[in-house]
Amino acid sequence: MIQLEPNAAAVDGPLLAAKDLRKRYAVRAAGQGTFLEAVAGVSFSIASGRTLALVGESGSGKTTIGRLVARLESPDSGAIRFDGEDWLAMRGDALRRKRRNLQIVFQDPQTSLNPRMRVGDQIGEPLRVQGLARAGVLRERVGELLNEVGLDAAAARRFPGEFSGGQRQRIAIARALATRPKLVVCDEPVSALDVSIAAQIVNLLLDLQARLGVAYLFISHDLPLVGRIADRVAVVYLGRIVEEGSPAEIAALPLHPYTAALVSSVPGPPGSVHLSRIPIPGEATAFGGDPAGCAFAPRCPIARPRCSDEAPPLASAGPDRAVACFYPGELRLPAL
């Protein structure tokens, strides 16, 4: 049997550190010179073997941040250090070799897996590209990876269309883990699955993290789900981190009005808090670049004149807690 060892941290400090990432896209349909500010000065770090979750409503910029980290897109400005090196400066063979340490699991395995390619070939492809397994042992390695994610080695001979959605996502996870990465970007990995299957996939990710020491950047809009898997949560609004802290702290006492509205939207048993308790008027819009003041001010129930004139920085709000709001904690969750 091929021994698959857990990862160890290569350097002191965070495994990944992003600083002031920015990304915008031109929107030609809206007129010349109009652009969408998808990521507007985001900074965060992830320690080895830990999980940072990015949460926010659709269009908040979470997926773009994940794509920048995975280098599927390039930021307009900012810096990323990964495993002790300048991640954005790497090119050519050096980048290809380093990519084995950072992989991604996409939202929908039906589109992220090649329907015309056998499962075993897809899982084995990163091993071949990185030169990590010779032909004689490749089949054995693929079988072990399938076993690790709860599938039989015989699945290697079949095509993705022969599996359920949950099984396809297990295959996608096996492919991402094939090179034994130190960090995996999980972009809404269970949002296309029903609740019971999603819970199984989360349990699988937790088990793999415990055994292999892999770190996750976990992107989701599901706060209860994030509470199960994440060590820290960063709340994203219009490409900005507006609050950061532990899942328990954010669920119990959200400091930013946007976070409070998100927490109140979580459905639950009779008597729990619901979206109607803290409505968010209007719609989020990121056209035109940085606003003069707080990006959330046009929708904020407690906004004051200062909020439209000044942009609050992401500042410390206690031990391991940060918030970008001039009036943190003033919008309280309704009493049950």
Side-chain angles (χ1 to χ4, degrees), residues 123-272:
I123 295 174
E125 186 173 33
L127 296 172
R128 292 192 299 270
V129 169
Q130 293 287 344
L132 298 176
R134 297 177 181 177
V137 297
L138 186 59
R139 182 180 298 179
E140 182 183 355
R141 182 70 177 273
V142 168
E144 289 177 0
L145 287 162
L146 285 166
N147 290 159
E148 277 201 326
V149 298
L151 296 174
D152 191 273
R157 299 190 295 270
R158 298 161 62 187
F159 292 92
E162 300 178 60
F163 297 90
S164 68
Q167 290 172 324
R168 283 195 291 265
Q169 197 61 296
R170 289 174 184 267
I171 293 166
I173 292 170
R175 181 178 62 182
L177 292 174
T179 61
R180 280 297 176 261
K182 297 183 178 183
L183 174 67
V184 175
V185 176
C186 300
D187 184 11
E188 299 268 15
V190 298
S191 63
L193 308 175
D194 64 40
V195 175
S196 62
I197 301 302
Q200 294 175 22
I201 296 299
V202 168
N203 289 338
L204 172 64
L205 291 171
L206 287 168
D207 178 63
L208 291 167
Q209 185 175 58
R211 289 192 287 116
L212 305 175
V214 63
Y216 297 130
L217 175 62
F218 193 91
I219 298 166
S220 179
H221 62 274
D222 189 329
L223 282 170
L225 178 70
V226 161
R228 289 186 55 202
I229 196 170
D231 300 294
R232 292 188 63 74
V233 175
V235 180
V236 183
Y237 182 76
L238 288 184
R240 301 159 177 83
I241 293 178
V242 297
E243 185 166 353
E244 188 173 349
S246 72
E249 288 175 323
I250 284 180
L253 184 62
L255 298 178
H256 196 280
Y258 177 64
T259 309
L262 288 181
V263 172
S264 76
S265 73
V266 175
S272 62

Side-chain angles (χ1 to χ4, degrees), residues 12 27 60 88 116 181 206 214 236 258-259 263 286 293 314 333 335:
D12 294 332
V27 184
S60 62
L88 298 180
R116 299 183 178 183
L206 287 168
V214 63
V236 183
Y258 177 64
T259 309
V263 172
L314 184 66
L333 293 175

Side-chain angles (χ1 to χ4, degrees), residues 13-18 44-48 69-70 80-84 87 102 183 185 217:
L15 174 65
L16 181 134
F44 59 87
S45 63
I46 306 173
S48 296
V69 168
I80 301 177
R81 289 195 67 80
F82 174 55
D83 201 21
W87 181 226
L102 196 158
L183 174 67
V185 176
L217 175 62

Side-chain angles (χ1 to χ4, degrees), residues 101-143:
N101 289 324
L102 196 158
Q103 296 293 313
I104 186 167
V105 175
F106 295 96
Q107 178 177 0
D108 186 0
Q110 188 167 351
T111 56
S112 66
L113 296 174
N114 188 334
R116 299 183 178 183
M117 192 173 179
R118 294 185 190 275
V119 163
D121 293 333
Q122 297 193 58
I123 295 174
E125 186 173 33
L127 296 172
R128 292 192 299 270
V129 169
Q130 293 287 344
L132 298 176
R134 297 177 181 177
V137 297
L138 186 59
R139 182 180 298 179
E140 182 183 355
R141 182 70 177 273
V142 168

